Amino acid sequence: MAILKIARMGHPVLRRVADPVADPTAPEIARLIEDMIETMRDAGGLGLAAPQVHVPLRLVIFHVPGERAGAGGETQALTVLMNPVIEPLGPERNADWEGCLSVPGLRGQVPRFTRIRYSGLDREGGSLSREAADLHARVVQHECDHLDGRLYPSRMGDLSFLTFESEMRHFPRAKDGNETLDEPAEAV
Ligand code: NI
């Protein structure tokens, strides 16, 4: 396994639409998944998308551990999802803070669908379909945006809520705290 270099905002791999994974069980995909897990753990993140490690494939990994889910929030064990499809479950959105390993040092308040259904393929090539809410839903939407060349600032409604981490203290905390997706919580 290896810790991979993370692409930063401006790199073309973060701006393109990623390609479908042709064979989820191929040895090179298994190796990529292991390296992405190690890279995400090293960075202390909640999720990582393959384009963030310079691989333009439709593959994301994520988890929502209890200490990040907040009181009463959904937790989610580590999940590998390929060729994902997201369907909003209703029109409701909420805005909360996000960070991104590809946009280091910044945080932004981003509106996302509160409840979604996501589906795709797991690492054994089987189909996976789940409903998700709140932070779990937010992480999946953030990571899957990477597959379409989108970074969270392009989802923000009000860019005056884009801030350096060191200036976060000037903003009121969102209802669930300062959520960061593929950056460590302690960086907030
Ligand atoms: Ni990100």
Side-chain angles (χ1 to χ4, degrees):
M1 296 209 295
I3 293 171
L4 304 173
K5 185 180 179 188
I6 293 174
R8 303 196 335 162
M9 181 167 64
H11 193 290
V13 74
L14 295 174
R15 301 204 306 269
R16 59 163 285 180
V17 176
D19 300 320
V21 177
D23 179 3
T25 62
E28 63 269 24
I29 296 297
R31 191 161 54 243
L32 172 64
I33 290 167
E34 291 306 315
D35 287 347
M36 285 177 63
I37 291 170
E38 188 173 12
T39 302
M40 181 182 76
R41 288 194 169 135
D42 177 69
L46 292 183
L48 192 66
Q52 291 185 278
V53 292
H54 303 85
V55 178
L57 290 176
R58 304 187 77 78
L59 189 167
V60 299
I61 64 172
F62 54 87
H63 65 147
V64 182
E67 67 270 21
R68 298 292 298 279
E74 279 182 22
T75 62
Q76 177 56 56
L78 178 68
T79 297
V80 175
L81 183 64
M82 288 175 260
N83 304 338
V85 175
I86 292 178
E87 173 194 356
L89 295 176
E92 187 190 345
R93 296 171 190 247
N94 64 84
D96 213 336
W97 293 99
E98 296 187 12
C100 179
L101 290 171
S102 296
V103 191
L106 295 176
R107 294 285 184 269
Q109 227 179 63
V110 186
R112 300 283 188 187
F113 288 107
T114 305
R115 296 182 63 242
I116 62 170
R117 176 180 292 114
Y118 62 88
S119 56
L121 299 174
D122 64 20
R123 60 197 304 181
E124 283 82 40
S127 59
L128 184 161
S129 180
R130 281 189 198 134
E131 292 187 8
D134 302 322
L135 180 58
H136 180 192
R138 176 172 296 276
V139 172
V140 173
Q141 290 171 86
H142 175 114
E143 299 309 334
C144 290
D145 264 357
H146 280 297
L147 308 182
D148 292 325
R150 296 291 297 265
L151 298 176
Y152 76 80
S154 77
R155 293 289 190 191
M156 291 180 64
D158 181 352
L159 282 172
S160 73
F161 285 86
L162 185 66
T163 177
F164 288 104
E165 289 164 1
S166 56
E167 306 304 323
M168 280 289 292
R169 67 188 184 281
H170 301 298
F171 290 85
R173 292 177 71 87
K175 62 177 172 56
D176 294 320
N178 298 322
E179 299 303 353
T180 62
L181 298 186
D182 42 33
E183 284 228 333
E186 54 272 24
V188 175

